[in-house]
Amino acid sequence: MSDGSGHDEPYDYVIVGGGTAGCVLAARLTEDPGCRVCVVEGGPSDVGDERVMKLRNWINLLGTEYDYGYTTVEQPRGNSHIVHSRARVLGGCSSHNTLISFLPFPQDLREWVRHGAEGWDPGTVLPYRARLQNTIRPVAEKDRNPIAHDFVTAAVDALDVPVVDDFNEHPFTEGAGFFSLAYDPATGNRSSASVAYLHPVLTRPNLTLKLESWAYRLLRAQDGRLARVRVRAADGTDCTVRAERELLLCAGAVDTPRLLMLSGIGPAGHLRELGIDVLTDLPGVGENLLDHPESVIVWETGPLPPNTAMDSDAGLFVRRDARESGPDLMIHFYQVPFTANTERLGYPTPPYGVCMTPNVPKSRSRGRIWLRSPDPDVEPALDFRYFTDPEGHDERTVVEGLRIAREVAATGPLRDWLVREVAPGPGLTTEEDLSEYGRRASHTVYHPAGTCRMGADDDSTAVVDPQLRLRGERGVRVVDASVFPTLPTVNPMVTVLLTAERAADLITGRAAPEPGDVRAHGRNGPNGRHGPHGTRGTER
């Protein structure tokens, strides 16, 4: 089968997407010097780019040339103005985000198994933490701002939750503390997937990087496999790369289902409406869109000390419902006023300020992604359907989170830093008013997932099987957050890293780590305890 482009460039593996998972796979697969690997990445390299490398600069990457900046369709019960940043740079979102790093909770992985992801139980997945190359550690003492210390103290005293010195030491149900980050405290540089996995191996002769190159269509090879990828370079020229062993899709929860649908793999009715020839009818492609929605409450302060790792170094987890196996509310504490959505509602932006962001860890709302056009240059439609779960769980979580945030803010020593509540302001107190504000001021922490979810063979809506193999095709796997059946309670980057490490074993046949091998993160990442209350334990 020919597309008129001349010869294909052959490789053993073609990885579409040089993001968090793609970097792991590229590094692991090229450990075999006889294995030729090509990575197709739409963005530039991060090597030597200080704007990307400096973790604290993350907020200044949003809305720039490093950001695809996808929008959402109208959200009748949420915020229709959210921009869903997706990274356009080597390392993907690990080169773009705050690098808050949590191991997934065991119960989250057990939930995956209940959804048909056999072999993704905690005993199998969690030992892969021993293979992670990133340096992951709690925020260094020099980066711990006094107001963040006082936030932790106030949360502990107001809510009677424990200090958590290391959120990755063992599973927890609630607590406040400084996050673990994938970074180098000495330099403030990221320990992203590209830094940790790809930078040390960029000179391997069997590794080819096609940067600023957009993969826009998958094609069949002569043997019928979906093994060829049409790629457009920055100068507008096209080429075709071919995977002789496997094609690995790592473009993320937006662009992996987008690429599949553009290639004729997805809901047949939708594809036919757009005039796309159907190769494989997979109704689950683009469905089950997940996210962690959150709202924001803002206070004015005076000038604050400048030290920080990335301006959101500490957080709080609460288990409001004792029947839940883990926390059901998360709050990030920002040492800057995050007002992009409150300004639009007419609230002022103080010259100095802080905010808390009540977050829904296990959102029950489900959305979907679909194509607006068969033209690869037209962005897909994203509908997260925020706050539409029938039981009202997500809405209640935000309302209660706003009230809990106020309770923490009214407690010393944090109280002494705060001049006034700017948004929504102390006048909003009823459940109805707080719900309306909380939903309209809501935003995302950029955790889309689930749009190519894995499941059992008899699940017609599953897109990949538990080996991450694309249903109905040979030699294609999906390895990114789109395969998650459900969203982890916590920030999902480490779960993506673990997924990619396990995928490398599934691809190569290498043995998985022993179940007992769950030592600390990384080769050089200390897991020391640095809590603001010294050696106080993490259990009450």
mmCIF file with all atom_site columns, all heavy atoms in Angstrom, residues 103 124-132 197 497-499 501-503 505-506 510-514 517-518:
data_model
loop_
_atom_site.group_PDB
_atom_site.id
_atom_site.type_symbol
_atom_site.label_atom_id
_atom_site.label_alt_id
_atom_site.label_comp_id
_atom_site.label_asym_id
_atom_site.label_entity_id
_atom_site.label_seq_id
_atom_site.pdbx_PDB_ins_code
_atom_site.Cartn_x
_atom_site.Cartn_y
_atom_site.Cartn_z
_atom_site.occupancy
_atom_site.B_iso_or_equiv
_atom_site.pdbx_formal_charge
_atom_site.auth_seq_id
_atom_site.auth_comp_id
_atom_site.auth_asym_id
_atom_site.auth_atom_id
_atom_site.pdbx_PDB_model_num
ATOM 1   N N   . LEU A 1 103 ? 3.080  8.658   44.243 1.00 0.00 ? 103 LEU A N   1
ATOM 2   C CA  . LEU A 1 103 ? 2.748  7.302   43.864 1.00 0.00 ? 103 LEU A CA  1
ATOM 3   C C   . LEU A 1 103 ? 1.234  7.146   43.861 1.00 0.00 ? 103 LEU A C   1
ATOM 4   O O   . LEU A 1 103 ? 0.543  7.726   44.698 1.00 0.00 ? 103 LEU A O   1
ATOM 5   C CB  . LEU A 1 103 ? 3.341  6.298   44.854 1.00 0.00 ? 103 LEU A CB  1
ATOM 6   C CG  . LEU A 1 103 ? 4.840  6.042   44.792 1.00 0.00 ? 103 LEU A CG  1
ATOM 7   C CD1 . LEU A 1 103 ? 5.270  5.253   46.010 1.00 0.00 ? 103 LEU A CD1 1
ATOM 8   C CD2 . LEU A 1 103 ? 5.201  5.295   43.517 1.00 0.00 ? 103 LEU A CD2 1
ATOM 9   N N   . THR A 1 124 ? 1.879  -5.515  41.488 1.00 0.00 ? 124 THR A N   1
ATOM 10  C CA  . THR A 1 124 ? 2.625  -5.551  40.238 1.00 0.00 ? 124 THR A CA  1
ATOM 11  C C   . THR A 1 124 ? 3.180  -4.189  39.867 1.00 0.00 ? 124 THR A C   1
ATOM 12  O O   . THR A 1 124 ? 4.339  -4.068  39.437 1.00 0.00 ? 124 THR A O   1
ATOM 13  C CB  . THR A 1 124 ? 1.724  -6.065  39.098 1.00 0.00 ? 124 THR A CB  1
ATOM 14  O OG1 . THR A 1 124 ? 1.245  -7.364  39.426 1.00 0.00 ? 124 THR A OG1 1
ATOM 15  C CG2 . THR A 1 124 ? 2.486  -6.116  37.784 1.00 0.00 ? 124 THR A CG2 1
ATOM 16  N N   . VAL A 1 125 ? 2.377  -3.146  40.027 1.00 0.00 ? 125 VAL A N   1
ATOM 17  C CA  . VAL A 1 125 ? 2.740  -1.815  39.526 1.00 0.00 ? 125 VAL A CA  1
ATOM 18  C C   . VAL A 1 125 ? 3.676  -1.067  40.467 1.00 0.00 ? 125 VAL A C   1
ATOM 19  O O   . VAL A 1 125 ? 4.676  -0.471  40.020 1.00 0.00 ? 125 VAL A O   1
ATOM 20  C CB  . VAL A 1 125 ? 1.468  -0.984  39.257 1.00 0.00 ? 125 VAL A CB  1
ATOM 21  C CG1 . VAL A 1 125 ? 1.828  0.451   38.860 1.00 0.00 ? 125 VAL A CG1 1
ATOM 22  C CG2 . VAL A 1 125 ? 0.618  -1.640  38.171 1.00 0.00 ? 125 VAL A CG2 1
ATOM 23  N N   . LEU A 1 126 ? 3.383  -1.059  41.751 1.00 0.00 ? 126 LEU A N   1
ATOM 24  C CA  . LEU A 1 126 ? 4.140  -0.206  42.670 1.00 0.00 ? 126 LEU A CA  1
ATOM 25  C C   . LEU A 1 126 ? 5.625  -0.565  42.764 1.00 0.00 ? 126 LEU A C   1
ATOM 26  O O   . LEU A 1 126 ? 6.455  0.331   42.968 1.00 0.00 ? 126 LEU A O   1
ATOM 27  C CB  . LEU A 1 126 ? 3.492  -0.208  44.049 1.00 0.00 ? 126 LEU A CB  1
ATOM 28  C CG  . LEU A 1 126 ? 2.130  0.497   44.106 1.00 0.00 ? 126 LEU A CG  1
ATOM 29  C CD1 . LEU A 1 126 ? 1.518  0.391   45.498 1.00 0.00 ? 126 LEU A CD1 1
ATOM 30  C CD2 . LEU A 1 126 ? 2.253  1.965   43.692 1.00 0.00 ? 126 LEU A CD2 1
ATOM 31  N N   . PRO A 1 127 ? 6.035  -1.834  42.614 1.00 0.00 ? 127 PRO A N   1
ATOM 32  C CA  . PRO A 1 127 ? 7.476  -2.095  42.635 1.00 0.00 ? 127 PRO A CA  1
ATOM 33  C C   . PRO A 1 127 ? 8.256  -1.398  41.527 1.00 0.00 ? 127 PRO A C   1
ATOM 34  O O   . PRO A 1 127 ? 9.480  -1.257  41.633 1.00 0.00 ? 127 PRO A O   1
ATOM 35  C CB  . PRO A 1 127 ? 7.539  -3.624  42.496 1.00 0.00 ? 127 PRO A CB  1
ATOM 36  C CG  . PRO A 1 127 ? 6.265  -4.111  43.096 1.00 0.00 ? 127 PRO A CG  1
ATOM 37  C CD  . PRO A 1 127 ? 5.246  -3.089  42.698 1.00 0.00 ? 127 PRO A CD  1
ATOM 38  N N   . TYR A 1 128 ? 7.583  -0.952  40.491 1.00 0.00 ? 128 TYR A N   1
ATOM 39  C CA  . TYR A 1 128 ? 8.302  -0.223  39.430 1.00 0.00 ? 128 TYR A CA  1
ATOM 40  C C   . TYR A 1 128 ? 8.852  1.116   39.914 1.00 0.00 ? 128 TYR A C   1
ATOM 41  O O   . TYR A 1 128 ? 9.672  1.727   39.224 1.00 0.00 ? 128 TYR A O   1
ATOM 42  C CB  . TYR A 1 128 ? 7.382  -0.005  38.227 1.00 0.00 ? 128 TYR A CB  1
ATOM 43  C CG  . TYR A 1 128 ? 7.298  -1.208  37.319 1.00 0.00 ? 128 TYR A CG  1
ATOM 44  C CD1 . TYR A 1 128 ? 6.258  -2.124  37.458 1.00 0.00 ? 128 TYR A CD1 1
ATOM 45  C CD2 . TYR A 1 128 ? 8.244  -1.437  36.341 1.00 0.00 ? 128 TYR A CD2 1
ATOM 46  C CE1 . TYR A 1 128 ? 6.164  -3.239  36.637 1.00 0.00 ? 128 TYR A CE1 1
ATOM 47  C CE2 . TYR A 1 128 ? 8.170  -2.547  35.507 1.00 0.00 ? 128 TYR A CE2 1
ATOM 48  C CZ  . TYR A 1 128 ? 7.133  -3.444  35.666 1.00 0.00 ? 128 TYR A CZ  1
ATOM 49  O OH  . TYR A 1 128 ? 7.070  -4.551  34.848 1.00 0.00 ? 128 TYR A OH  1
ATOM 50  N N   . ARG A 1 129 ? 8.459  1.559   41.074 1.00 0.00 ? 129 ARG A N   1
ATOM 51  C CA  . ARG A 1 129 ? 9.037  2.797   41.607 1.00 0.00 ? 129 ARG A CA  1
ATOM 52  C C   . ARG A 1 129 ? 10.555 2.661   41.757 1.00 0.00 ? 129 ARG A C   1
ATOM 53  O O   . ARG A 1 129 ? 11.285 3.657   41.679 1.00 0.00 ? 129 ARG A O   1
ATOM 54  C CB  . ARG A 1 129 ? 8.402  3.160   42.959 1.00 0.00 ? 129 ARG A CB  1
ATOM 55  C CG  . ARG A 1 129 ? 8.785  2.238   44.122 1.00 0.00 ? 129 ARG A CG  1
ATOM 56  C CD  . ARG A 1 129 ? 8.101  2.595   45.428 1.00 0.00 ? 129 ARG A CD  1
ATOM 57  N NE  . ARG A 1 129 ? 8.545  3.879   45.935 1.00 0.00 ? 129 ARG A NE  1
ATOM 58  C CZ  . ARG A 1 129 ? 8.148  4.382   47.103 1.00 0.00 ? 129 ARG A CZ  1
ATOM 59  N NH1 . ARG A 1 129 ? 7.292  3.710   47.861 1.00 0.00 ? 129 ARG A NH1 1
ATOM 60  N NH2 . ARG A 1 129 ? 8.588  5.543   47.519 1.00 0.00 ? 129 ARG A NH2 1
ATOM 61  N N   . ALA A 1 130 ? 11.031 1.427   41.958 1.00 0.00 ? 130 ALA A N   1
ATOM 62  C CA  . ALA A 1 130 ? 12.472 1.217   42.115 1.00 0.00 ? 130 ALA A CA  1
ATOM 63  C C   . ALA A 1 130 ? 13.231 1.496   40.823 1.00 0.00 ? 130 ALA A C   1
ATOM 64  O O   . ALA A 1 130 ? 14.446 1.704   40.848 1.00 0.00 ? 130 ALA A O   1
ATOM 65  C CB  . ALA A 1 130 ? 12.735 -0.216  42.575 1.00 0.00 ? 130 ALA A CB  1
ATOM 66  N N   . ARG A 1 131 ? 12.532 1.504   39.689 1.00 0.00 ? 131 ARG A N   1
ATOM 67  C CA  . ARG A 1 131 ? 13.200 1.738   38.409 1.00 0.00 ? 131 ARG A CA  1
ATOM 68  C C   . ARG A 1 131 ? 13.135 3.192   37.950 1.00 0.00 ? 131 ARG A C   1
ATOM 69  O O   . ARG A 1 131 ? 13.765 3.546   36.958 1.00 0.00 ? 131 ARG A O   1
ATOM 70  C CB  . ARG A 1 131 ? 12.573 0.847   37.331 1.00 0.00 ? 131 ARG A CB  1
ATOM 71  C CG  . ARG A 1 131 ? 12.872 -0.632  37.544 1.00 0.00 ? 131 ARG A CG  1
ATOM 72  C CD  . ARG A 1 131 ? 12.503 -1.432  36.318 1.00 0.00 ? 131 ARG A CD  1
ATOM 73  N NE  . ARG A 1 131 ? 12.715 -2.863  36.562 1.00 0.00 ? 131 ARG A NE  1
ATOM 74  C CZ  . ARG A 1 131 ? 12.237 -3.815  35.793 1.00 0.00 ? 131 ARG A CZ  1
ATOM 75  N NH1 . ARG A 1 131 ? 11.518 -3.497  34.716 1.00 0.00 ? 131 ARG A NH1 1
ATOM 76  N NH2 . ARG A 1 131 ? 12.470 -5.076  36.060 1.00 0.00 ? 131 ARG A NH2 1
ATOM 77  N N   . LEU A 1 132 ? 12.362 4.003   38.626 1.00 0.00 ? 132 LEU A N   1
ATOM 78  C CA  . LEU A 1 132 ? 12.225 5.388   38.174 1.00 0.00 ? 132 LEU A CA  1
ATOM 79  C C   . LEU A 1 132 ? 13.566 6.103   38.214 1.00 0.00 ? 132 LEU A C   1
ATOM 80  O O   . LEU A 1 132 ? 14.306 6.023   39.198 1.00 0.00 ? 132 LEU A O   1
ATOM 81  C CB  . LEU A 1 132 ? 11.210 6.138   39.039 1.00 0.00 ? 132 LEU A CB  1
ATOM 82  C CG  . LEU A 1 132 ? 9.767  5.625   39.000 1.00 0.00 ? 132 LEU A CG  1
ATOM 83  C CD1 . LEU A 1 132 ? 8.866  6.513   39.859 1.00 0.00 ? 132 LEU A CD1 1
ATOM 84  C CD2 . LEU A 1 132 ? 9.241  5.547   37.576 1.00 0.00 ? 132 LEU A CD2 1
ATOM 85  N N   . TYR A 1 197 ? 15.470 10.562  31.719 1.00 0.00 ? 197 TYR A N   1
ATOM 86  C CA  . TYR A 1 197 ? 15.562 9.385   30.861 1.00 0.00 ? 197 TYR A CA  1
ATOM 87  C C   . TYR A 1 197 ? 16.281 9.640   29.541 1.00 0.00 ? 197 TYR A C   1
ATOM 88  O O   . TYR A 1 197 ? 17.098 8.825   29.110 1.00 0.00 ? 197 TYR A O   1
ATOM 89  C CB  . TYR A 1 197 ? 14.158 8.849   30.561 1.00 0.00 ? 197 TYR A CB  1
ATOM 90  C CG  . TYR A 1 197 ? 13.550 8.069   31.695 1.00 0.00 ? 197 TYR A CG  1
ATOM 91  C CD1 . TYR A 1 197 ? 12.830 8.708   32.709 1.00 0.00 ? 197 TYR A CD1 1
ATOM 92  C CD2 . TYR A 1 197 ? 13.689 6.687   31.772 1.00 0.00 ? 197 TYR A CD2 1
ATOM 93  C CE1 . TYR A 1 197 ? 12.255 7.996   33.755 1.00 0.00 ? 197 TYR A CE1 1
ATOM 94  C CE2 . TYR A 1 197 ? 13.130 5.958   32.813 1.00 0.00 ? 197 TYR A CE2 1
ATOM 95  C CZ  . TYR A 1 197 ? 12.415 6.621   33.801 1.00 0.00 ? 197 TYR A CZ  1
ATOM 96  O OH  . TYR A 1 197 ? 11.876 5.900   34.842 1.00 0.00 ? 197 TYR A OH  1
ATOM 97  N N   . LEU A 1 497 ? 4.639  7.522   34.536 1.00 0.00 ? 497 LEU A N   1
ATOM 98  C CA  . LEU A 1 497 ? 5.983  6.965   34.509 1.00 0.00 ? 497 LEU A CA  1
ATOM 99  C C   . LEU A 1 497 ? 5.962  5.470   34.799 1.00 0.00 ? 497 LEU A C   1
ATOM 100 O O   . LEU A 1 497 ? 6.627  4.672   34.115 1.00 0.00 ? 497 LEU A O   1
ATOM 101 C CB  . LEU A 1 497 ? 6.868  7.670   35.535 1.00 0.00 ? 497 LEU A CB  1
ATOM 102 C CG  . LEU A 1 497 ? 7.197  9.143   35.283 1.00 0.00 ? 497 LEU A CG  1
ATOM 103 C CD1 . LEU A 1 497 ? 7.846  9.757   36.525 1.00 0.00 ? 497 LEU A CD1 1
ATOM 104 C CD2 . LEU A 1 497 ? 8.122  9.309   34.081 1.00 0.00 ? 497 LEU A CD2 1
ATOM 105 N N   . LEU A 1 498 ? 5.206  5.066   35.818 1.00 0.00 ? 498 LEU A N   1
ATOM 106 C CA  . LEU A 1 498 ? 5.113  3.644   36.155 1.00 0.00 ? 498 LEU A CA  1
ATOM 107 C C   . LEU A 1 498 ? 4.477  2.852   35.015 1.00 0.00 ? 498 LEU A C   1
ATOM 108 O O   . LEU A 1 498 ? 4.899  1.724   34.711 1.00 0.00 ? 498 LEU A O   1
ATOM 109 C CB  . LEU A 1 498 ? 4.299  3.463   37.432 1.00 0.00 ? 498 LEU A CB  1
ATOM 110 C CG  . LEU A 1 498 ? 4.873  4.072   38.715 1.00 0.00 ? 498 LEU A CG  1
ATOM 111 C CD1 . LEU A 1 498 ? 3.875  3.940   39.861 1.00 0.00 ? 498 LEU A CD1 1
ATOM 112 C CD2 . LEU A 1 498 ? 6.192  3.431   39.088 1.00 0.00 ? 498 LEU A CD2 1
ATOM 113 N N   . THR A 1 499 ? 3.459  3.435   34.388 1.00 0.00 ? 499 THR A N   1
ATOM 114 C CA  . THR A 1 499 ? 2.806  2.777   33.261 1.00 0.00 ? 499 THR A CA  1
ATOM 115 C C   . THR A 1 499 ? 3.799  2.548   32.131 1.00 0.00 ? 499 THR A C   1
ATOM 116 O O   . THR A 1 499 ? 3.839  1.469   31.501 1.00 0.00 ? 499 THR A O   1
ATOM 117 C CB  . THR A 1 499 ? 1.620  3.621   32.773 1.00 0.00 ? 499 THR A CB  1
ATOM 118 O OG1 . THR A 1 499 ? 0.663  3.758   33.827 1.00 0.00 ? 499 THR A OG1 1
ATOM 119 C CG2 . THR A 1 499 ? 0.950  2.995   31.565 1.00 0.00 ? 499 THR A CG2 1
ATOM 120 N N   . GLU A 1 501 ? 7.137  2.392   32.366 1.00 0.00 ? 501 GLU A N   1
ATOM 121 C CA  . GLU A 1 501 ? 8.130  1.391   32.769 1.00 0.00 ? 501 GLU A CA  1
ATOM 122 C C   . GLU A 1 501 ? 7.561  -0.020  32.625 1.00 0.00 ? 501 GLU A C   1
ATOM 123 O O   . GLU A 1 501 ? 8.246  -0.933  32.142 1.00 0.00 ? 501 GLU A O   1
ATOM 124 C CB  . GLU A 1 501 ? 8.569  1.646   34.213 1.00 0.00 ? 501 GLU A CB  1
ATOM 125 C CG  . GLU A 1 501 ? 9.509  2.828   34.404 1.00 0.00 ? 501 GLU A CG  1
ATOM 126 C CD  . GLU A 1 501 ? 10.960 2.483   34.050 1.00 0.00 ? 501 GLU A CD  1
ATOM 127 O OE1 . GLU A 1 501 ? 11.202 1.397   33.491 1.00 0.00 ? 501 GLU A OE1 1
ATOM 128 O OE2 . GLU A 1 501 ? 11.843 3.314   34.340 1.00 0.00 ? 501 GLU A OE2 1
ATOM 129 N N   . ARG A 1 502 ? 6.320  -0.192  33.038 1.00 0.00 ? 502 ARG A N   1
ATOM 130 C CA  . ARG A 1 502 ? 5.706  -1.528  32.889 1.00 0.00 ? 502 ARG A CA  1
ATOM 131 C C   . ARG A 1 502 ? 5.501  -1.852  31.414 1.00 0.00 ? 502 ARG A C   1
ATOM 132 O O   . ARG A 1 502 ? 5.705  -3.001  30.993 1.00 0.00 ? 502 ARG A O   1
ATOM 133 C CB  . ARG A 1 502 ? 4.379  -1.574  33.643 1.00 0.00 ? 502 ARG A CB  1
ATOM 134 C CG  . ARG A 1 502 ? 3.608  -2.861  33.426 1.00 0.00 ? 502 ARG A CG  1
ATOM 135 C CD  . ARG A 1 502 ? 2.668  -3.188  34.570 1.00 0.00 ? 502 ARG A CD  1
ATOM 136 N NE  . ARG A 1 502 ? 1.746  -4.245  34.232 1.00 0.00 ? 502 ARG A NE  1
ATOM 137 C CZ  . ARG A 1 502 ? 2.064  -5.529  34.067 1.00 0.00 ? 502 ARG A CZ  1
ATOM 138 N NH1 . ARG A 1 502 ? 3.315  -5.903  34.221 1.00 0.00 ? 502 ARG A NH1 1
ATOM 139 N NH2 . ARG A 1 502 ? 1.147  -6.417  33.765 1.00 0.00 ? 502 ARG A NH2 1
ATOM 140 N N   . ALA A 1 503 ? 5.121  -0.865  30.615 1.00 0.00 ? 503 ALA A N   1
ATOM 141 C CA  . ALA A 1 503 ? 4.936  -1.096  29.187 1.00 0.00 ? 503 ALA A CA  1
ATOM 142 C C   . ALA A 1 503 ? 6.229  -1.564  28.536 1.00 0.00 ? 503 ALA A C   1
ATOM 143 O O   . ALA A 1 503 ? 6.212  -2.435  27.646 1.00 0.00 ? 503 ALA A O   1
ATOM 144 C CB  . ALA A 1 503 ? 4.433  0.171   28.509 1.00 0.00 ? 503 ALA A CB  1
ATOM 145 N N   . ASP A 1 505 ? 8.470  -3.398  29.795 1.00 0.00 ? 505 ASP A N   1
ATOM 146 C CA  . ASP A 1 505 ? 8.599  -4.833  30.069 1.00 0.00 ? 505 ASP A CA  1
ATOM 147 C C   . ASP A 1 505 ? 7.621  -5.647  29.237 1.00 0.00 ? 505 ASP A C   1
ATOM 148 O O   . ASP A 1 505 ? 7.959  -6.738  28.748 1.00 0.00 ? 505 ASP A O   1
ATOM 149 C CB  . ASP A 1 505 ? 8.364  -5.107  31.556 1.00 0.00 ? 505 ASP A CB  1
ATOM 150 C CG  . ASP A 1 505 ? 9.555  -4.727  32.420 1.00 0.00 ? 505 ASP A CG  1
ATOM 151 O OD1 . ASP A 1 505 ? 10.586 -4.299  31.858 1.00 0.00 ? 505 ASP A OD1 1
ATOM 152 O OD2 . ASP A 1 505 ? 9.450  -4.854  33.656 1.00 0.00 ? 505 ASP A OD2 1
ATOM 153 N N   . LEU A 1 506 ? 6.386  -5.165  29.078 1.00 0.00 ? 506 LEU A N   1
ATOM 154 C CA  . LEU A 1 506 ? 5.407  -5.884  28.268 1.00 0.00 ? 506 LEU A CA  1
ATOM 155 C C   . LEU A 1 506 ? 5.873  -5.988  26.825 1.00 0.00 ? 506 LEU A C   1
ATOM 156 O O   . LEU A 1 506 ? 5.650  -7.001  26.151 1.00 0.00 ? 506 LEU A O   1
ATOM 157 C CB  . LEU A 1 506 ? 4.051  -5.172  28.329 1.00 0.00 ? 506 LEU A CB  1
ATOM 158 C CG  . LEU A 1 506 ? 3.353  -5.137  29.696 1.00 0.00 ? 506 LEU A CG  1
ATOM 159 C CD1 . LEU A 1 506 ? 2.091  -4.289  29.623 1.00 0.00 ? 506 LEU A CD1 1
ATOM 160 C CD2 . LEU A 1 506 ? 3.021  -6.545  30.179 1.00 0.00 ? 506 LEU A CD2 1
ATOM 161 N N   . ARG A 1 510 ? 10.924 -8.362  29.264 1.00 0.00 ? 510 ARG A N   1
ATOM 162 C CA  . ARG A 1 510 ? 11.783 -8.323  30.444 1.00 0.00 ? 510 ARG A CA  1
ATOM 163 C C   . ARG A 1 510 ? 10.969 -8.622  31.700 1.00 0.00 ? 510 ARG A C   1
ATOM 164 O O   . ARG A 1 510 ? 9.793  -8.264  31.790 1.00 0.00 ? 510 ARG A O   1
ATOM 165 C CB  . ARG A 1 510 ? 12.447 -6.945  30.574 1.00 0.00 ? 510 ARG A CB  1
ATOM 166 C CG  . ARG A 1 510 ? 13.409 -6.834  31.752 1.00 0.00 ? 510 ARG A CG  1
ATOM 167 C CD  . ARG A 1 510 ? 14.133 -5.506  31.779 1.00 0.00 ? 510 ARG A CD  1
ATOM 168 N NE  . ARG A 1 510 ? 13.228 -4.379  31.990 1.00 0.00 ? 510 ARG A NE  1
ATOM 169 C CZ  . ARG A 1 510 ? 13.644 -3.125  32.192 1.00 0.00 ? 510 ARG A CZ  1
ATOM 170 N NH1 . ARG A 1 510 ? 14.932 -2.858  32.174 1.00 0.00 ? 510 ARG A NH1 1
ATOM 171 N NH2 . ARG A 1 510 ? 12.772 -2.163  32.367 1.00 0.00 ? 510 ARG A NH2 1
ATOM 172 N N   . ALA A 1 511 ? 11.579 -9.241  32.672 1.00 0.00 ? 511 ALA A N   1
ATOM 173 C CA  . ALA A 1 511 ? 10.889 -9.589  33.906 1.00 0.00 ? 511 ALA A CA  1
ATOM 174 C C   . ALA A 1 511 ? 10.545 -8.337  34.698 1.00 0.00 ? 511 ALA A C   1
ATOM 175 O O   . ALA A 1 511 ? 11.321 -7.373  34.739 1.00 0.00 ? 511 ALA A O   1
ATOM 176 C CB  . ALA A 1 511 ? 11.753 -10.515 34.750 1.00 0.00 ? 511 ALA A CB  1
ATOM 177 N N   . ALA A 1 512 ? 9.397  -8.356  35.327 1.00 0.00 ? 512 ALA A N   1
ATOM 178 C CA  . ALA A 1 512 ? 8.979  -7.251  36.191 1.00 0.00 ? 512 ALA A CA  1
ATOM 179 C C   . ALA A 1 512 ? 9.791  -7.268  37.474 1.00 0.00 ? 512 ALA A C   1
ATOM 180 O O   . ALA A 1 512 ? 10.366 -8.300  37.856 1.00 0.00 ? 512 ALA A O   1
ATOM 181 C CB  . ALA A 1 512 ? 7.498  -7.379  36.509 1.00 0.00 ? 512 ALA A CB  1
ATOM 182 N N   . PRO A 1 513 ? 9.888  -6.133  38.177 1.00 0.00 ? 513 PRO A N   1
ATOM 183 C CA  . PRO A 1 513 ? 10.589 -6.128  39.462 1.00 0.00 ? 513 PRO A CA  1
ATOM 184 C C   . PRO A 1 513 ? 9.883  -7.016  40.469 1.00 0.00 ? 513 PRO A C   1
ATOM 185 O O   . PRO A 1 513 ? 8.679  -7.254  40.385 1.00 0.00 ? 513 PRO A O   1
ATOM 186 C CB  . PRO A 1 513 ? 10.562 -4.655  39.874 1.00 0.00 ? 513 PRO A CB  1
ATOM 187 C CG  . PRO A 1 513 ? 9.446  -4.042  39.107 1.00 0.00 ? 513 PRO A CG  1
ATOM 188 C CD  . PRO A 1 513 ? 9.372  -4.796  37.820 1.00 0.00 ? 513 PRO A CD  1
ATOM 189 N N   . GLU A 1 514 ? 10.637 -7.522  41.416 1.00 0.00 ? 514 GLU A N   1
ATOM 190 C CA  . GLU A 1 514 ? 10.068 -8.374  42.454 1.00 0.00 ? 514 GLU A CA  1
ATOM 191 C C   . GLU A 1 514 ? 9.074  -7.589  43.293 1.00 0.00 ? 514 GLU A C   1
ATOM 192 O O   . GLU A 1 514 ? 9.270  -6.397  43.544 1.00 0.00 ? 514 GLU A O   1
ATOM 193 C CB  . GLU A 1 514 ? 11.173 -8.938  43.343 1.00 0.00 ? 514 GLU A CB  1
ATOM 194 C CG  . GLU A 1 514 ? 12.086 -9.921  42.640 1.00 0.00 ? 514 GLU A CG  1
ATOM 195 C CD  . GLU A 1 514 ? 11.346 -11.155 42.180 1.00 0.00 ? 514 GLU A CD  1
ATOM 196 O OE1 . GLU A 1 514 ? 10.461 -11.631 42.921 1.00 0.00 ? 514 GLU A OE1 1
ATOM 197 O OE2 . GLU A 1 514 ? 11.627 -11.641 41.066 1.00 0.00 ? 514 GLU A OE2 1
ATOM 198 N N   . ASP A 1 517 ? 10.307 -5.194  45.985 1.00 0.00 ? 517 ASP A N   1
ATOM 199 C CA  . ASP A 1 517 ? 11.296 -4.188  45.615 1.00 0.00 ? 517 ASP A CA  1
ATOM 200 C C   . ASP A 1 517 ? 10.632 -2.826  45.473 1.00 0.00 ? 517 ASP A C   1
ATOM 201 O O   . ASP A 1 517 ? 10.373 -2.348  44.389 1.00 0.00 ? 517 ASP A O   1
ATOM 202 C CB  . ASP A 1 517 ? 11.964 -4.587  44.302 1.00 0.00 ? 517 ASP A CB  1
ATOM 203 C CG  . ASP A 1 517 ? 13.213 -3.765  44.008 1.00 0.00 ? 517 ASP A CG  1
ATOM 204 O OD1 . ASP A 1 517 ? 13.614 -2.990  44.887 1.00 0.00 ? 517 ASP A OD1 1
ATOM 205 O OD2 . ASP A 1 517 ? 13.768 -3.916  42.913 1.00 0.00 ? 517 ASP A OD2 1
ATOM 206 N N   . VAL A 1 518 ? 10.303 -2.188  46.599 1.00 0.00 ? 518 VAL A N   1
ATOM 207 C CA  . VAL A 1 518 ? 9.593  -0.908  46.578 1.00 0.00 ? 518 VAL A CA  1
ATOM 208 C C   . VAL A 1 518 ? 10.366 0.129   47.382 1.00 0.00 ? 518 VAL A C   1
ATOM 209 O O   . VAL A 1 518 ? 9.813  0.891   48.160 1.00 0.00 ? 518 VAL A O   1
ATOM 210 C CB  . VAL A 1 518 ? 8.155  -1.053  47.128 1.00 0.00 ? 518 VAL A CB  1
ATOM 211 C CG1 . VAL A 1 518 ? 7.301  -1.843  46.173 1.00 0.00 ? 518 VAL A CG1 1
ATOM 212 C CG2 . VAL A 1 518 ? 8.156  -1.719  48.502 1.00 0.00 ? 518 VAL A CG2 1
#
